[in-house]
Amino acid sequence: MKILDWYILKRYLTTFLFTLLILIPIAVAIDIAEKIDKFLRHDDLTFFEVVNDYYKNFIIYYANTFMPLALFLAVIVFTSRLANNTEIVAINSSQVSFTRFLYPYFIGATIVTIVALGMNHFVVPNSSKTRKQFEVNYLKKKKYKDKVVKNFSLQLNDSTYMYIQSYDFERNAGYNFSTSTYSGLKLKYKLIADNIRWNDSVFKLQNWKERKIFKDRDSIFSGNSIDTVFTFTPKDFNYKSTIAQEMPSNELSDFIELSRNRGVKNLNAYLVELYKRTSLPLSSYILTIIAVALAYRKRRGGVGVNLALGISVMFVYVFFLKVAEVLGAVAGANSLLNVWMPNLVFGIYAAYLYFNARK
């Protein structure tokens, strides 16, 4: 069986890579056609910057995105060819069970899963930082609402809170800032400032006033300008789901935990991004079982029928996946359950096909 295992595993991986290498140039060509005029608008933008800062990271992102689709189509295609060439008939005649036949497929799925996990958790987030910064600089119009946050509050720990009426990320400055510390329901400390500005690693407060409340007296200090540090930075003012895509998983987990301790109410968009980095790679096993079970039998119409059936199943899976992500990001939803729901449903479908194919 080792010869047969190696034969199937090599076909699995080579067909998968070939399918992926077909999909990526198509995506790049479409993207170039859409953005070529935007590239040409910038006289200071060089060809090297476009390739190195944008399309290198574009390929990394879409190679990771297309991985489940490429895997599914590859298994459908080469398994259908095995069936049409009556190779599977010969394998069955050798008393090889369907479960044993799946062994090399699962080895291939394990290799793809390990690569996908590494890319999802570390490579793609780091790559996305450069790509998205390039898009901001050269491809997208900056919107005012993306540059300014208003009426933002944050719980820094169990007893300390901060509030800022407005903060401009482009100018790194805001106004009407305050931070308060309580002991139970009693105010113990308050710091207010008309203006606040971020400068590398410190905040500069202007027209500030500090009040310390003791048991029998209050102490009040004020001044025109003072440099100080806090346990937050301006990036903590900007809670957007797109930021999660640029954080490696260890950084994202720390950010979620810190934000939860600070009292941020809805972190589901961040949780969805974290959970799907594991759920999508592990779907390789489910998609492999479905693809093999669909293509295992020789059908009238050959590869085309199996391919059409496989694409239909994949379309439903991707649609279900996107709906689950949207529902999982809604406040109050169970993000973990929603992210894993497509795998659970299609896992049941894969189990049905598996037991049916064994017969």
Side-chain angles (χ1 to χ4, degrees):
M1 281 298 295
K2 288 185 178 181
I3 295 176
L4 179 61
D5 290 341
W6 276 110
Y7 174 70
I8 293 176
L9 180 59
K10 282 165 49 176
R11 293 284 297 273
Y12 181 107
L13 295 176
T14 54
T15 310
F16 165 70
L17 291 174
F18 179 74
T19 306
L20 197 59
L21 291 175
I22 289 176
L23 295 173
I24 295 301
I26 294 174
V28 171
I30 293 173
D31 191 75
I32 291 175
E34 290 179 349
K35 296 185 173 67
I36 185 67
D37 58 326
K38 296 180 181 178
F39 295 144
L40 296 176
R41 288 177 193 166
H42 302 278
D43 296 332
D44 59 334
L45 183 61
T46 65
F47 176 78
F48 176 77
E49 288 176 318
V50 173
V51 174
N52 187 64
D53 294 345
Y54 183 68
Y55 277 110
K56 181 184 74 175
N57 299 301
F58 177 92
I59 290 172
I60 291 174
Y61 175 77
Y62 278 96
N64 187 66
T65 302
F66 289 150
M67 213 172 269
L69 175 62
L71 172 72
F72 191 76
L73 294 179
V75 175
I76 284 278
V77 169
F78 90 79
T79 306
S80 296
R81 287 177 178 171
L82 289 177
N84 288 339
N85 294 335
T86 65
E87 292 176 82
I88 292 181
V89 173
I91 293 171
N92 287 334
S93 300
S94 302
Q95 302 299 313
V96 176
S97 67
F98 182 71
T99 302
R100 180 63 184 85
F101 179 71
L102 284 175
Y103 279 11
Y105 285 92
F106 269 74
I107 294 173
T110 300
I111 295 172
V112 172
T113 298
I114 292 172
V115 173
L117 284 170
M119 290 188 67
N120 271 352
H121 286 283
F122 302 105
V123 178
V124 174
N126 288 319
S127 172
S128 295
K129 291 180 182 179
T130 306
R131 179 175 60 85
K132 288 182 179 293
Q133 187 59 51
F134 182 95
E135 291 176 348
V136 169
N137 293 338
Y138 299 108
L139 301 179
K140 292 182 178 179
K141 293 181 179 179
K142 295 181 180 180
K143 297 181 180 179
Y144 179 76
K145 66 179 182 179
D146 291 334
K147 295 188 294 184
V148 177
V149 62
K150 292 186 176 182
N151 298 318
F152 182 82
S153 60
L154 198 64
Q155 182 178 350
L156 304 179
N157 53 47
D158 292 339
S159 59
T160 305
Y161 304 83
M162 65 78 62
Y163 169 81
I164 190 166
Q165 186 172 343
S166 178
Y167 190 87
D168 190 322
F169 293 102
E170 197 168 69
R171 293 172 49 242
N172 276 327
Y175 65 90
N176 287 353
F177 166 81
S178 68
T179 178
S180 306
T181 301
Y182 293 85
S183 176
L185 298 176
K186 293 183 179 181
L187 179 66
K188 302 297 292 182
Y189 174 85
K190 190 174 184 69
L191 173 66
I192 62 174
D194 290 343
N195 298 285
I196 183 171
R197 179 178 291 276
W198 172 254
N199 184 16
D200 292 333
S201 58
V202 299
F203 283 102
K204 179 182 286 294
L205 305 181
Q206 293 179 323
N207 297 329
W208 59 275
K209 183 181 292 185
E210 183 183 53
R211 180 186 178 192
K212 296 180 180 179
I213 302 173
F214 301 101
K215 188 174 181 180
D216 54 352
R217 62 186 176 86
D218 292 0
S219 294
I220 299 177
F221 304 91
S222 62
N224 293 326
S225 178
I226 188 174
D227 291 341
T228 186
V229 294
F230 296 105
T231 57
F232 57 85
T233 63
K235 73 176 183 179
D236 295 315
F237 302 159
N238 197 8
Y239 279 82
K240 294 193 300 183
S241 58
T242 52
I243 296 177
Q245 299 172 6
E246 302 174 15
M247 296 182 185
S249 293
N250 55 339
E251 183 180 332
L252 180 57
S253 297
D254 293 340
F255 178 81
I256 290 172
E257 185 62 28
L258 178 62
S259 300
R260 187 178 283 123
N261 292 335
R262 287 176 171 176
V264 179
K265 294 181 180 178
N266 184 18
L267 292 168
N268 280 0
Y270 294 87
L271 291 170
V272 166
E273 175 64 26
L274 180 63
Y275 295 149
K276 76 177 184 180
R277 292 180 183 181
T278 300
S279 67
L280 278 177
L282 291 179
S283 69
S284 299
Y285 294 106
I286 297 170
L287 296 176
T288 295
I289 294 174
I290 294 175
V292 175
L294 290 176
Y296 185 68
R297 301 285 182 187
K298 186 174 182 179
R299 297 175 186 272
R300 182 177 298 177
V303 178
V305 174
N306 287 336
L307 196 57
L309 183 60
I311 291 174
S312 300
V313 172
M314 195 65 196
F315 174 80
V316 174
Y317 176 77
V318 172
F319 175 77
F320 197 9
L321 193 68
K322 294 301 178 184
V323 171
E325 288 179 14
V326 172
L327 294 178
V330 175
N334 188 324
S335 299
L336 181 63
L337 179 61
N338 277 278
V339 168
W340 280 92
M341 185 58 69
N343 282 358
L344 293 175
V345 173
F346 278 79
I348 294 172
Y349 179 55
Y352 166 76
L353 292 176
Y354 168 76
F355 287 111
N356 190 56
R358 285 183 61 188
K359 298 178 183 179

